[in-house]
């Protein structure tokens, strides 16, 4: 606001100042008839600020936030602003269309001064823009479901409103109070966010109800809102058990079918059954719509279940403890056995005492005694506690037998009152009796039999005089298929054989026995027969089936025992139907129904629906089938191609794969919204409506739609035709510039189809290798990205495109790398020598590489040099070859006083500059090399590298010095070629530590050794024992004989056996002659290889075929030899030159002394080159022979030692003494010249 007011104040001051100047002489004054007033408007609406001026003679303008909008009524530059109203009435209203937040600002109406009136300014008014909140959204404390009884925080936010929105929160339609609301800054200036927060306690009734947040401000007519559904977890109540009455006992052997129900709870409860704490079942099912959990328990009651506690528990995720309901079972069970004890043989009139004892039962049994059919009531009964909470019963009987009792069975019968239980055991009395007993031999009662099996029932009768007559009955009717009666020893028998049928289930088969006494005894059994369903039938009510209909198929399953399982199959798929409860049916079985609902699709047409009723127990089943006839409109096969590709000018077929019931009648092809007709000769189709297009072009590409119809309706599908053609390519830029170190994208664009991945490839057309890995493509554009561009990237690049359509295309571009000047630097570029005799001339060369063009400037001792005037001694010349720019400063009549100075060469271009100082000085010895370092080490060689120093104005060469522990002197090696700075020293010992150094030599002397006369310490690697024959000088190591020696010896022994002794003598003489033969070496002029002939048994550690070193030293001479490809060079001390070249053997054995210096006389060197052969001295120290017997050349012959004990210095010269022992066996490295 302060900034706004300051701007308005300045504007007012300007107008008032002008007004004061012209105030005199004014007569008709300007005034506001209707000054502006504050306006409030909603964003997007139209706003008008009114301004009406009386007697307006000055220019009327509006000011927005201190900015003059202009006098024109259309207000150029402000498309939504305009001046409206009747100008003749002084109406200058500011009209703003589609108001936005940026229009929210202070405004003034100003009238400029005129000849007759001063300027006037209206009061500042505000246009207030109202912004409705974008939306309202609810944020919950947690995404997890709520738990009943706990409190949760609910937050509602209405962002980016002006003024701040008012928020209302409702839970299930009831407004929540105690909201904590805060306002925060919005995403833009002047906008605010409103946040309201409230704590809500979850209750079970909230589950599934809504939380609603409403936000509204004056800019809204209807509040924006957000809703969320509350999910509340709460525990279930205690369960209930159905199917069990605690007051009613159950019978052992029966089956209890119980149902445990848990109503409510979220989530629904999980249920489990326990019996005396032992888990019986943990399976349950959930009825989500009814909010009930059910668990069924089928319990086969056993005697052990008497007085057990049966319990059902319910629990869910938020239950604090399981809830349960319990029932105590009371089980009635029968005694398992009856024991009959006592004596059953007695004479007529005797008294027998018998005892009958039963096992535990509940309730206790009552024992009855029978003799024949007569009950004996003279027994005494006792009851006591038994197993499983039951009671045992014992009865004692005293009976006096009679004649009529002979052969009668004395029966002990256990009876439980109220349960119709009766079980007996008997033994016959040994008293004569009339026939009175009948019994059956049949399967145990209750054991299931299967329909279709064969069964034999046997009826037996004992006693009776005469034997009784047996008759079979089924359900009271005479049975068919009985056999003849068979007389037994003590009775008769008769069997009944038949095939079991479903009608035999629960049928009573009775056998009656009688005799002339007309007394009938009967025995019967009830059969339990299992049988598969009698029949299965599928019933469908709908007459016409259509796609999308839901058809209900009913499967009627006839009687079966036990109940069969039903399965449905539709085609190859197995489905589950809805099975209805069974009901009793014929033959004691169960019949039931099963329904299957199908939502029909075209795939169901002609599929077979099968209902199969199958008895798992009997492995038998019956099935019925029904074939579906589904009517549907045309459908297109999913395998029908959606995209078809073809080459230009080819023939293409657009396939059609359609099915329908009834059959398709018509199909029309449509392209670009028009129906294709066969009148166009390029189009045709066959009876299957497959579209054929001849001579296709790229303009035929696009979407083709086919529309097919039948009696059920119509359908359409589209196929995209792609026309492939060869690529056409162009570079985005033919010439590309990039700064060095930068990143550049070389881009090429192509017109092609198809546009395939990987069709762009890039090639570098220059020399060397360039990293082309960063190749990219995006549709029809491919580009090569080069990172950290260096000068090596400059050159031509080719973009190739091959989309598989011949021919491929290519295009080239040129890359130019821009870089600031880079001057050549180093000792050889920073120092130049010249004679300061006022007569010599010298060129100072400054060379730089850079793009764009490089310009040079020179300075002498920091003062710029100007070559534009008449300069007689100084001249500068610049030459450019590609990116290389060379500036040469030529100095005539070099003066030591004037020109021995530091000249600074500066190279510059638009990217930067670089400078180098070049010192002009007199000739001198070379500077020491620097940065001596190791490049490679092996078991017998070391490769070194160093940086050369300033050469002092002459050509310099380098010399390597080294020694090792135990060496008696330094060894020297001249580096060849002289200018190289990488050199391999060979012929070293394995696993030995060496100290190396290097210095430089020119015509004026030699430098100190590199790096401040320090050593580079290197240890060679250990040599493989397979190639290391043994130490040199080992007298015990003899050369093995060749194969031809053994062949020769065997041949001679076989042919000339009598001369074998003479052959051995000759062989010994031959070997002796070999041991006395010396070594002869021939050095060929102009070659760097030495051919050596040796005949010695002395072994050597080193074997080679090529001389790679640059020096050879003779122990007893002062010759220092260096070999290169141009011939042999010999460096001699001048005072010893003649004696060294022309000497005899005796002179070689004399000690010689010399200073270590090189021959500077070129004539002497040229004379030395005429000697193509130098005879080897006779000193045995040179007599090294290869152990293998093959010619070889030593890799290195090392220089001498300045500090050895074999010589001394006299008057500055080193005097060398011959070896003290001619046969000294020292290592090869110690056999060099002592200097």
């Amino acid at each position: 606001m302060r900034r706004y007011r300051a701007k308005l104040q300045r504007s007012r001051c300007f107008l008032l100042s002008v007004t004061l100047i012209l105030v005199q002489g004014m007569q008709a004054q300007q005034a506001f008839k209707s000054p502006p007033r504050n306006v409030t408007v909603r964003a997007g609406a139209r706003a008008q600020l009114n301004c009406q001026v009386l007697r307006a003679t000055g220019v009327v303008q509006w000011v927005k936030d201190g900015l003059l909008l202009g006098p024109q009524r259309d207000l150029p530059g402000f498309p939504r602003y305009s001046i409206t109203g009747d100008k003749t009435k002084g109406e200058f209203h500011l009209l703003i269309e589609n108001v936005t937040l940026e229009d929210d600002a202070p405004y003034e109406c100003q009238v400029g001064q005129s000849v007759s009136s001063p300027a006037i300014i209206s009061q500042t008014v505000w246009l207030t823009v109202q912004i409705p909140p974008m939306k309202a959204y609810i944020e919950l404390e947690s995404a997890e479901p709520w738990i009943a009884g706990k409190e949760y925080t609910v937050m509602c936010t209405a962002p980016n409103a002006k003024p701040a929105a008012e928020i209302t929160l409702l839970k299930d339609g009831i407004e929540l109070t105690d909201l904590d609301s805060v306002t925060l800054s919005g995403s833009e200036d002047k906008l605010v966010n409103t946040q309201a927060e409230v704590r809500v306690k979850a209750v079970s009734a909230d589950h599934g109800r809504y939380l609603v947040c409403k936000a509204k401000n004056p800019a809204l007519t209807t509040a924006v809102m957000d809703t969320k559904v509350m999910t509340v977890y709460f525990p279930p109540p205690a369960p209930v058990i159905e199917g069990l009455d605690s007051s009613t006992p159950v019978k052992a052997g029966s089956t209890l079918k119980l149902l445990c129900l848990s109503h409510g709870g979220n989530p629904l409860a999980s249920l489990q059954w326990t019996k005396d704490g032992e888990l019986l079942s943990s399976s349950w099912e959930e009825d989500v719509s009814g909010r009930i959990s059910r668990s069924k328990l089928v319990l086969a009651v056993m005697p052990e279940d008497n007085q057990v506690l049966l319990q059902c528990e319910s629990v869910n995720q938020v239950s604090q403890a399981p809830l349960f309901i319990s029932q105590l079972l009371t089980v009635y069970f029968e005694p398992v056995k009856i024991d009959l004890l006592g004596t059953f043989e007695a004479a007529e009139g005797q008294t027998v005492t018998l005892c009958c004892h039963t096992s535990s039962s509940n309730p206790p049994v009552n024992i009855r005694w029978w003799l024949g059919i007569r009950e004996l009531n003279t027994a005494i009964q006792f009851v006591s506690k038994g197993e499983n909470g039951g009671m045992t019963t014992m009865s004692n009987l005293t009976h006096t037998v009679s004649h009529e009792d002979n052969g009668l069975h004395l029966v002990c019968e256990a009876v439980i009152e109220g349960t119709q239980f009766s079980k007996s055991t008997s033994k016959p009395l040994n008293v004569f009796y009339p026939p009175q007993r009948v019994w059956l031999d049949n399967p145990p009662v209750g054991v299931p039999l299967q329909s279709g099996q064969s069964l034999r029932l046997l009826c037996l009768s004992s006693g009776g005089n005469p034997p009784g007559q047996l008759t079979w009955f089924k359900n009271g009717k005479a049975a068919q298929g009985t056999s003849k009666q068979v007389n037994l020893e003590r009775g008769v028998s008769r069997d009944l054989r038949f095939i079991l049928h479903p009608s035999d289930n629960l049928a009573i088969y009775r056998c009656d026995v009688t005799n002339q006494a007309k007394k009938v005894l009967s025995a019967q059994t009830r059969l339990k027969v299992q049988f598969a369903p009698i029949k299965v039938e599928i019933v469908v009510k709908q007459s016409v089936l259509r796609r999308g209909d839901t058809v209900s198929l009913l499967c009627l399953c006839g009687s079966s025992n036990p109940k069969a399982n039903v399965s449905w199959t539709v085609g190859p798929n197995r489905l589950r139907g809805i099975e209805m409860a069974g009901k009793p049916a014929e033959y004691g079985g169960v019949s039931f129904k099963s329904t299957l609902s199908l939502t029909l699709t075209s795939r169901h047409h002609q599929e077979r629906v099968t209902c199969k009723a199958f008895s798992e127990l009997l492995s038998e089943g019956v099935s019925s089938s029904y074939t579906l006839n589904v009517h549907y409109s045309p459908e297109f096969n999913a395998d029908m191609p959606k995209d078809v590709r073809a080459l230009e000018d080819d023939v293409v077929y657009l396939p059609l794969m359609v099915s329908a019931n009834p059959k398709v009648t018509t199909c029309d092809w449509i392209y670009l919204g028009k129906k294709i007709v066969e009148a166009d000769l390029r189009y045709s189709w066959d009876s299957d409506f497959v579209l054929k297009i001849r001579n296709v072009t790229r303009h035929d590409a696009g979407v083709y739609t086919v529309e097919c119809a039948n009696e059920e309706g119509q359908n359409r599908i589209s196929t995209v035709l792609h026309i492939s053609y060869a690529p056409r390519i162009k570079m985005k830029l033919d010439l590309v510039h990039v700064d060095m170190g930068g990143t550049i994208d070389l881009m090429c664009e192509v017109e092609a189809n198809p546009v395939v991945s990987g069709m762009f490839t890039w090639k570098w057309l220059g020399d060397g290798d360039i990293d082309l890995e960063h190749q990219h493509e995006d549709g029809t554009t491919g580009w090569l990205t080069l990172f950290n561009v260096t000068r090596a990237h400059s050159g031509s690049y080719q973009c190739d495109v091959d989309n598989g359509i011949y021919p491929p295309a290519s295009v080239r571009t040129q890359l130019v790398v821009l870089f600031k000047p880079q001057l050549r630097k180093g000792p050889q570029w920073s120092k130049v020598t010249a004679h300061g005799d006022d007569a010599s001339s010298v060129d100072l060369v400054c060379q730089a590489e850079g793009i764009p063009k490089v310009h040079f400037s020179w300075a002498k001792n920091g003062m710029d040099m100007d070559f534009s005037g008449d300069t007689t001694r100084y001249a500068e010349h610049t030459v450019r070859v590609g990116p290389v720019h060379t500036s040469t400063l030529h100095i005539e009549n070099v003066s030591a006083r004037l020109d021995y100075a530091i000249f600074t060469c500066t190279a510059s271009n638009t990217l930067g500059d670089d400078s180098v100082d070049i010192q002009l000085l007199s000739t001198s010895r070379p500077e020491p090399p620097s940065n001596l370092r190791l490049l490679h080490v092996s078991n017998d060689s070391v490769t070194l590298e160093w940086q050369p120093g300033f050469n002092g104005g002459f050509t310099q060469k380098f010399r390597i010095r080294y020694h090792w522990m135990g060496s008696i002197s330094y060894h020297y090696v001249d580096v060849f070629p002289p200018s190289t700075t990488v050199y391999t020293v060979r012929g070293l010992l394995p696993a030995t530590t060496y100290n190396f150094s290097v210095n430089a030599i020119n015509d004026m002397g030699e430098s100190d050794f590199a790096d401040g006369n320090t050593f580079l310490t290197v240890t060679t690697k250990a040599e493989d024992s397979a190639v290391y024959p043994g130490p040199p000088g080992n007298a015990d190591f003899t050369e093995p004989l060749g194969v031809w020696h053994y062949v020769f010896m065997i041949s001679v022994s076989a042919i000339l056996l009598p001369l074998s002794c003479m052959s051995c003598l000759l062989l010994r003489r031959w070997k002796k002659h070999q041991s006395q033969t010396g070594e002869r070496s021939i050095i060929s002029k102009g070659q760097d290889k030495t051919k050596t002939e040796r005949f010695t048994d002395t072994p050597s550690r080193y074997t080679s075929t090529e001389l790679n070193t640059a020096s050879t030293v003779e122990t007893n001479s002062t010759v220092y030899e260096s070999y290169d490809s141009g011939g042999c060079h010999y460096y001699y001390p001048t005072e010893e030159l003649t004696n060294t070249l022309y000497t005899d053997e005796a002179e070689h054995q004399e000690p010689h002394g010399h200073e270590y210096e090189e021959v500077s006389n070129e004539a002497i060197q040229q004379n030395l080159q005429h000697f193509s052969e130098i005879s080897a001295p006779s000193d045995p120290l040179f007599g090294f022979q290869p152990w293998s017997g093959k010619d070889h050349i030593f890799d290195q012959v090392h220089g001498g030692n300045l500090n050895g004990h074999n010589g001394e210095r006299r008057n500055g010269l080193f005097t060398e003494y011959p070896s003290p022992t001619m046969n000294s066996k020292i290592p090869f490295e110690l056999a060099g010249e002592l200097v």
Side-chain angles (χ1 to χ4, degrees), residues 355-371:
C355 178
C356 183
H357 181 270
T358 66
S359 60
S360 181
S361 65
N362 183 37
V365 302
N366 180 34
I367 296 178
R368 301 173 65 185
W369 289 91
W370 299 87
L371 181 60

mmCIF file of all heavy atoms in Angstrom, residues 355-371:
data_model
loop_
_atom_site.group_PDB
_atom_site.id
_atom_site.type_symbol
_atom_site.label_atom_id
_atom_site.label_comp_id
_atom_site.label_asym_id
_atom_site.label_seq_id
_atom_site.Cartn_x
_atom_site.Cartn_y
_atom_site.Cartn_z
ATOM 1 N N CYS A 355 -24.791 -115.147 36.309
ATOM 2 C CA CYS A 355 -24.495 -113.699 36.472
ATOM 3 C C CYS A 355 -24.411 -113.048 35.090
ATOM 4 O O CYS A 355 -23.704 -113.543 34.197
ATOM 5 C CB CYS A 355 -23.188 -113.497 37.224
ATOM 6 S SG CYS A 355 -22.731 -111.738 37.406
ATOM 7 N N CYS A 356 -25.108 -111.903 34.937
ATOM 8 C CA CYS A 356 -25.068 -111.116 33.675
ATOM 9 C C CYS A 356 -24.523 -109.717 34.004
ATOM 10 O O CYS A 356 -25.084 -109.025 34.870
ATOM 11 C CB CYS A 356 -26.471 -111.018 33.076
ATOM 12 S SG CYS A 356 -26.477 -110.146 31.483
ATOM 13 N N HIS A 357 -23.419 -109.296 33.301
ATOM 14 C CA HIS A 357 -22.746 -108.007 33.592
ATOM 15 C C HIS A 357 -22.622 -107.198 32.307
ATOM 16 O O HIS A 357 -22.199 -107.715 31.268
ATOM 17 C CB HIS A 357 -21.350 -108.270 34.163
ATOM 18 C CG HIS A 357 -20.613 -107.018 34.511
ATOM 19 N ND1 HIS A 357 -19.810 -106.364 33.614
ATOM 20 C CD2 HIS A 357 -20.583 -106.306 35.668
ATOM 21 C CE1 HIS A 357 -19.295 -105.297 34.191
ATOM 22 N NE2 HIS A 357 -19.749 -105.247 35.448
ATOM 23 N N THR A 358 -23.032 -105.916 32.380
ATOM 24 C CA THR A 358 -22.953 -105.038 31.190
ATOM 25 C C THR A 358 -21.876 -103.975 31.398
ATOM 26 O O THR A 358 -21.567 -103.588 32.525
ATOM 27 C CB THR A 358 -24.294 -104.343 30.933
ATOM 28 O OG1 THR A 358 -24.573 -103.440 32.000
ATOM 29 C CG2 THR A 358 -25.417 -105.365 30.800
ATOM 30 N N SER A 359 -21.327 -103.506 30.270
ATOM 31 C CA SER A 359 -20.379 -102.388 30.330
ATOM 32 C C SER A 359 -21.130 -101.088 30.554
ATOM 33 O O SER A 359 -22.360 -101.065 30.599
ATOM 34 C CB SER A 359 -19.564 -102.299 29.039
ATOM 35 O OG SER A 359 -20.425 -102.098 27.936
ATOM 36 N N SER A 360 -20.399 -99.944 30.671
ATOM 37 C CA SER A 360 -20.987 -98.654 31.027
ATOM 38 C C SER A 360 -21.996 -98.199 29.987
ATOM 39 O O SER A 360 -21.817 -98.398 28.777
ATOM 40 C CB SER A 360 -19.885 -97.607 31.153
ATOM 41 O OG SER A 360 -20.427 -96.355 31.510
ATOM 42 N N SER A 361 -23.073 -97.529 30.437
ATOM 43 C CA SER A 361 -24.097 -96.980 29.555
ATOM 44 C C SER A 361 -24.746 -95.803 30.253
ATOM 45 O O SER A 361 -24.602 -95.619 31.464
ATOM 46 C CB SER A 361 -25.156 -98.044 29.217
ATOM 47 O OG SER A 361 -25.868 -98.410 30.400
ATOM 48 N N ASN A 362 -25.455 -95.004 29.458
ATOM 49 C CA ASN A 362 -26.181 -93.867 30.014
ATOM 50 C C ASN A 362 -27.510 -93.751 29.267
ATOM 51 O O ASN A 362 -27.508 -93.574 28.034
ATOM 52 C CB ASN A 362 -25.373 -92.577 29.865
ATOM 53 C CG ASN A 362 -26.057 -91.378 30.507
ATOM 54 O OD1 ASN A 362 -26.674 -91.508 31.563
ATOM 55 N ND2 ASN A 362 -25.944 -90.219 29.867
ATOM 56 N N PRO A 363 -28.666 -93.824 29.938
ATOM 57 C CA PRO A 363 -28.765 -94.141 31.379
ATOM 58 C C PRO A 363 -28.451 -95.620 31.637
ATOM 59 O O PRO A 363 -28.251 -96.376 30.688
ATOM 60 C CB PRO A 363 -30.225 -93.815 31.668
ATOM 61 C CG PRO A 363 -30.914 -94.033 30.361
ATOM 62 C CD PRO A 363 -29.954 -93.617 29.296
ATOM 63 N N PRO A 364 -28.381 -96.063 32.892
ATOM 64 C CA PRO A 364 -28.027 -97.465 33.168
ATOM 65 C C PRO A 364 -29.111 -98.406 32.623
ATOM 66 O O PRO A 364 -30.285 -98.065 32.539
ATOM 67 C CB PRO A 364 -27.953 -97.516 34.703
ATOM 68 C CG PRO A 364 -28.765 -96.365 35.181
ATOM 69 C CD PRO A 364 -28.612 -95.295 34.149
ATOM 70 N N VAL A 365 -28.667 -99.611 32.235
ATOM 71 C CA VAL A 365 -29.603 -100.583 31.656
ATOM 72 C C VAL A 365 -30.330 -101.351 32.769
ATOM 73 O O VAL A 365 -29.875 -101.406 33.915
ATOM 74 C CB VAL A 365 -28.851 -101.560 30.740
ATOM 75 C CG1 VAL A 365 -28.136 -100.823 29.637
ATOM 76 C CG2 VAL A 365 -27.859 -102.401 31.542
ATOM 77 N N ASN A 366 -31.439 -101.928 32.356
ATOM 78 C CA ASN A 366 -32.198 -102.853 33.229
ATOM 79 C C ASN A 366 -32.067 -104.249 32.630
ATOM 80 O O ASN A 366 -32.372 -104.449 31.455
ATOM 81 C CB ASN A 366 -33.657 -102.441 33.291
ATOM 82 C CG ASN A 366 -34.470 -103.369 34.175
ATOM 83 O OD1 ASN A 366 -33.975 -103.875 35.176
ATOM 84 N ND2 ASN A 366 -35.720 -103.593 33.789
ATOM 85 N N ILE A 367 -31.568 -105.191 33.446
ATOM 86 C CA ILE A 367 -31.307 -106.537 32.942
ATOM 87 C C ILE A 367 -32.547 -107.416 33.182
ATOM 88 O O ILE A 367 -33.070 -107.482 34.293
ATOM 89 C CB ILE A 367 -30.074 -107.143 33.602
ATOM 90 C CG1 ILE A 367 -28.829 -106.318 33.224
ATOM 91 C CG2 ILE A 367 -29.885 -108.603 33.197
ATOM 92 C CD1 ILE A 367 -27.560 -106.823 33.869
ATOM 93 N N ARG A 368 -32.926 -108.081 32.089
ATOM 94 C CA ARG A 368 -34.045 -109.036 32.148
ATOM 95 C C ARG A 368 -33.524 -110.407 31.742
ATOM 96 O O ARG A 368 -32.698 -110.522 30.846
ATOM 97 C CB ARG A 368 -35.170 -108.599 31.215
ATOM 98 C CG ARG A 368 -35.721 -107.229 31.543
ATOM 99 C CD ARG A 368 -36.694 -106.764 30.500
ATOM 100 N NE ARG A 368 -37.901 -107.600 30.464
ATOM 101 C CZ ARG A 368 -38.880 -107.468 29.582
ATOM 102 N NH1 ARG A 368 -38.778 -106.524 28.637
ATOM 103 N NH2 ARG A 368 -39.932 -108.259 29.615
ATOM 104 N N TRP A 369 -34.011 -111.457 32.458
ATOM 105 C CA TRP A 369 -33.580 -112.838 32.185
ATOM 106 C C TRP A 369 -34.710 -113.567 31.480
ATOM 107 O O TRP A 369 -35.884 -113.427 31.812
ATOM 108 C CB TRP A 369 -33.262 -113.583 33.494
ATOM 109 C CG TRP A 369 -32.004 -113.085 34.155
ATOM 110 C CD1 TRP A 369 -31.894 -112.115 35.063
ATOM 111 C CD2 TRP A 369 -30.712 -113.605 33.921
ATOM 112 N NE1 TRP A 369 -30.608 -111.937 35.438
ATOM 113 C CE2 TRP A 369 -29.838 -112.859 34.753
ATOM 114 C CE3 TRP A 369 -30.170 -114.602 33.099
ATOM 115 C CZ2 TRP A 369 -28.467 -113.089 34.784
ATOM 116 C CZ3 TRP A 369 -28.825 -114.841 33.155
ATOM 117 C CH2 TRP A 369 -27.965 -114.080 33.968
ATOM 118 N N TRP A 370 -34.310 -114.354 30.471
ATOM 119 C CA TRP A 370 -35.278 -115.121 29.703
ATOM 120 C C TRP A 370 -34.784 -116.538 29.552
ATOM 121 O O TRP A 370 -33.596 -116.774 29.344
ATOM 122 C CB TRP A 370 -35.447 -114.513 28.319
ATOM 123 C CG TRP A 370 -35.959 -113.084 28.325
ATOM 124 C CD1 TRP A 370 -35.232 -111.975 28.428
ATOM 125 C CD2 TRP A 370 -37.301 -112.698 28.208
ATOM 126 N NE1 TRP A 370 -36.021 -110.858 28.391
ATOM 127 C CE2 TRP A 370 -37.326 -111.285 28.243
ATOM 128 C CE3 TRP A 370 -38.538 -113.388 28.078
ATOM 129 C CZ2 TRP A 370 -38.506 -110.542 28.177
ATOM 130 C CZ3 TRP A 370 -39.695 -112.636 27.981
ATOM 131 C CH2 TRP A 370 -39.671 -111.211 28.048
ATOM 132 N N LEU A 371 -35.739 -117.412 29.659
ATOM 133 C CA LEU A 371 -35.488 -118.812 29.345
ATOM 134 C C LEU A 371 -36.485 -119.177 28.264
ATOM 135 O O LEU A 371 -37.671 -119.322 28.501
ATOM 136 C CB LEU A 371 -35.683 -119.709 30.569
ATOM 137 C CG LEU A 371 -35.417 -121.200 30.341
ATOM 138 C CD1 LEU A 371 -33.975 -121.423 29.876
ATOM 139 C CD2 LEU A 371 -35.699 -122.017 31.614
#
